Amino acid sequence: MSQPLYVETAEVSDKPPSRQALVSDDEPPSTTAVATVATAAPKPSIQTHSRWNDWRWQMSHRIRSVEQLFGYFPDKAYCQSIEPVIGKYPMAITPYYASLIRKVDLADPVFQMCVPQLDELYDPPFLSSDPLEEHDDMPVPGLVHRYPDRALLIATTTCSMYCRHCTRKRVAGTRETSISARRLEQVTAYLTAHPEVSDVIVSGGDPLTMSDESIDMILSAIRKVPSVQIIRVGTRMPVVLPMRITDNLVNILKKYHPLWINTHFNHPNEITPESMEACRKLADAGIPLGNQSVLLRNVNDNPQVYEQLCRMLVRMRVRPYYLYQCDLVRGVEHFRTPVSKGIEIMEYLRGRVSGLAIPLFVIDAPHGGGKIPVLPNYIVSTSPTHTVIRNFEGMLISYPEPAHRDTPRMMAEPSHDTAPGVWELASGAYSRIQPARTIRQVRRQACCHHIENSELLGQ
Ligand code: SF4
């Protein structure tokens, strides 16, 4: 008989720690927002609890029911209105994450990501519960094998917080359980029989909700498969429950190098001294850290906000990896943005911040099509001899192709007599068209003296 690996299922306390009311009772009840007034959140007294920094205490004091939510956000009408939402898509909010809410208002990004909304019940027909068709790509239940060399293991259905925008809403939290020993054996047998899989992503749910012993057992079993080169762990713990990144956990993780972690920060308000400390511990253990965020309407669909997030992530040694277009999953339509919004953000970032801080904007395509990068257009035109590209300033540059003698020429002869246009760049008659005034041009003109190579190092 199979034994579940999961050791501790969080107990749900009937008595949530009291917290000062964040919203005035005078506010009219709303079905779409707890309050329309931007009430500054008071410093929660709960943070002085002696076990605040104990991740198990945080897990067992998650806000899980309407009654508990009411203890935090006393808008009775709102709390009652979302009862059917919670019935369909479970709610869990760690006290730590709840403390990041600055205003009880849908304008608050943290509030939106953790507190259910009635809008989750609005499902246009093009949405589905499993738009990526992960279920159809599972040779073993819980193991998604889509790309040739990678496989993703759903190790648990438990998360410390149930993100309202989750792409696995069909799974996450519907039943808080984890992979059994028997299923883990089936998974490792499959991986052994498929040596082309060299990269295994341990995901969920959030795998770091499991006990240290269970995590150790799962990683050890995967690491024993000779063909597995890289293990990746997908976790939102550094964001929603950073106290989970204990020294003991880090010591377990670093036994299984090369091991990477991808986390999931969406907004600068999620970056706190606690989350920075969690990332520091992981990075100091030699674990490369990446960030996969989701583009969410009214949360992070603002180029300046997203720029700030990327800059902060790089400072804490977390590489912005992917920015996902919101999936076509049931229950998240209210978070979706037009694809153009992501392209706008990419256009804004390129040239403004280091490439190290710019994630790849991708659509994880319906029908299991996989991640497809979506970029602003940087190729303006091509010819047999030249490709015309443009940079972030709007400068057009003619890039010559290799000078093979048999390269076909353009049909018309280029002339230097005409004003340069894109065709003249593609023909090679001109090498660039430059905007009249850019910041770089102004800077160049201000220091236009010629610098000899010997001067570069002050010799
Ligand atoms: S932590 Fe990940 S799996 Fe869990 S609810 Fe959030 S997005 Fe979904």
Side-chain angles (χ1 to χ4, degrees):
M1 201 166 117
S2 63
Q3 293 296 319
L5 285 174
Y6 189 60
V7 171
E8 182 185 271
T9 299
E11 315 143 21
V12 177
S13 164
D14 286 328
K15 290 189 184 139
S18 64
R19 191 174 182 207
Q20 189 179 336
L22 296 185
V23 62
S24 153
D25 284 343
D26 298 331
E27 284 304 314
S30 160
T31 54
T32 55
V34 165
T36 51
V37 66
T39 311
K43 204 79 186 147
S45 57
I46 188 176
Q47 285 186 27
T48 59
H49 193 284
S50 61
R51 293 185 63 201
W52 177 262
N53 290 317
D54 177 343
W55 74 274
R56 289 182 183 276
W57 179 88
Q58 289 275 343
M59 282 294 284
S60 61
H61 287 80
R62 292 179 297 166
I63 304 167
R64 302 236 48 200
S65 66
V66 163
E67 292 72 35
Q68 289 171 318
L69 186 68
F70 184 60
Y72 276 73
F73 311 124
D75 181 327
K76 198 163 193 174
Y78 182 85
C79 289
Q80 283 174 346
S81 75
I82 59 167
E83 185 104 54
V85 183
I86 296 173
K88 191 168 182 190
Y89 304 117
M91 171 179 67
I93 312 170
T94 58
Y96 164 80
Y97 197 73
S99 78
L100 306 188
I101 295 172
R102 297 182 183 179
K103 294 172 184 172
V104 180
D105 186 325
L106 281 187
D108 186 284
V110 173
F111 181 90
Q112 280 204 72
M113 284 187 276
C114 64
V115 177
Q117 295 175 44
L118 265 184
D119 283 345
E120 291 178 44
L121 300 179
Y122 168 60
D123 287 328
F126 48 79
L127 302 180
S128 76
S129 61
D130 182 15
L132 310 183
E133 297 182 2
E134 291 187 321
H135 200 78
D136 298 336
D137 280 328
M138 284 185 185
V140 175
L143 186 74
V144 183
H145 187 182
R146 170 172 303 146
Y147 301 101
D149 68 333
R150 278 149 283 166
L152 180 144
L153 174 64
I154 296 180
T156 177
T157 55
T158 308
C159 301
S160 55
M161 194 200 67
Y162 293 117
C163 311
R164 305 324 300 174
H165 56 273
C166 179
T167 206
R168 295 203 185 108
K169 270 173 114 102
R170 72 186 190 281
V171 172
T174 46
R175 215 174 111 239
E176 293 202 326
T177 183
S178 294
I179 189 170
S180 66
R182 185 175 64 88
R183 183 55 45 74
L184 186 59
E185 268 173 32
Q186 292 172 340
V187 165
T188 52
Y190 179 86
L191 294 174
T192 306
H194 291 81
E196 70 274 19
V197 177
S198 59
D199 180 351
V200 177
I201 300 144
V202 182
S203 183
D206 193 322
L208 298 191
T209 52
M210 293 186 285
S211 69
D212 289 357
E213 296 72 25
S214 299
I215 293 167
D216 201 2
M217 195 187 314
I218 292 171
L219 294 179
S220 163
I222 294 171
R223 182 46 83 212
K224 281 189 188 125
V225 178
S227 46
V228 172
Q229 295 169 12
I230 295 164
I231 299 177
R232 289 190 271 171
V233 175
T235 176
R236 213 173 178 221
M237 284 298 198
V239 187
V240 295
L241 183 46
M243 11 329 239
R244 174 64 183 107
I245 312 303
T246 60
D247 292 344
N248 194 50
L249 176 67
V250 170
N251 285 334
I252 290 169
L253 295 173
K254 74 182 187 188
K255 286 195 295 182
Y256 299 105
H257 275 313
L259 180 142
W260 295 56
I261 283 186
N262 275 321
T263 188
H264 178 170
F265 287 92
N266 284 328
H267 191 277
N269 289 5
E270 295 178 322
I271 297 180
T272 64
E274 290 91 338
S275 62
M276 290 166 81
E277 174 63 5
C279 292
R280 183 199 65 73
K281 281 185 181 179
L282 293 167
D284 281 357
I287 299 172
L289 300 172
N291 189 66
Q292 307 191 142
S293 42
V294 184
L295 185 54
L296 301 170
R297 192 163 73 95
N298 295 336
V299 172
N300 59 7
D301 60 340
N302 173 307
Q304 283 96 352
V305 168
Y306 202 75
E307 176 194 2
Q308 194 192 354
L309 174 68
C310 291
R311 287 186 186 279
M312 293 171 93
L313 287 171
V314 172
R315 273 211 301 274
M316 48 202 258
R317 292 181 281 171
V318 180
R319 164 84 158 94
Y321 177 37
Y322 281 135
L323 170 62
Y324 283 97
Q325 173 71 5
C326 207
D327 289 334
L328 295 176
V329 69
R330 284 195 190 125
V332 305
E333 180 65 6
H334 57 296
F335 280 122
R336 288 208 311 128
T337 56
V339 174
S340 62
K341 180 54 75 178
I343 294 176
E344 176 196 334
I345 291 174
M346 292 298 108
E347 185 75 78
Y348 181 83
L349 293 179
R350 180 64 58 191
R352 199 173 301 263
V353 299
S354 151
L356 195 63
I358 303 179
L360 197 62
F361 175 50
V362 292
I363 298 177
D364 211 342
H367 309 300
K371 291 180 267 301
I372 299 175
V374 186
L375 291 168
N377 235 337
Y378 293 108
I379 295 182
V380 177
S381 190
T382 59
S383 79
T385 58
H386 293 77
T387 297
V388 182
I389 49 182
R390 62 119 181 139
N391 77 352
F392 70 100
E393 297 165 310
M395 180 180 178
L396 300 181
I397 301 129
S398 174
Y399 179 84
E401 302 297 354
H404 298 305
R405 291 197 182 153
D406 53 356
T407 301
R409 314 302 305 172
M410 291 181 77
M411 297 301 284
E413 279 300 310
S415 161
H416 287 271
D417 298 340
T418 54
V422 172
W423 189 88
E424 282 72 20
L425 291 177
S427 73
Y430 289 87
S431 66
R432 67 180 160 172
I433 299 175
Q434 181 129 10
R437 198 174 163 79
T438 64
I439 291 173
R440 190 161 55 102
Q441 284 294 103
V442 171
R443 191 166 53 237
R444 274 190 180 188
Q445 281 156 13
C447 56
C448 60
H449 61 281
H450 183 67
I451 299 173
E452 296 292 337
N453 273 354
S454 59
E455 286 181 81
L456 287 177
L457 300 176
Q459 295 160 348

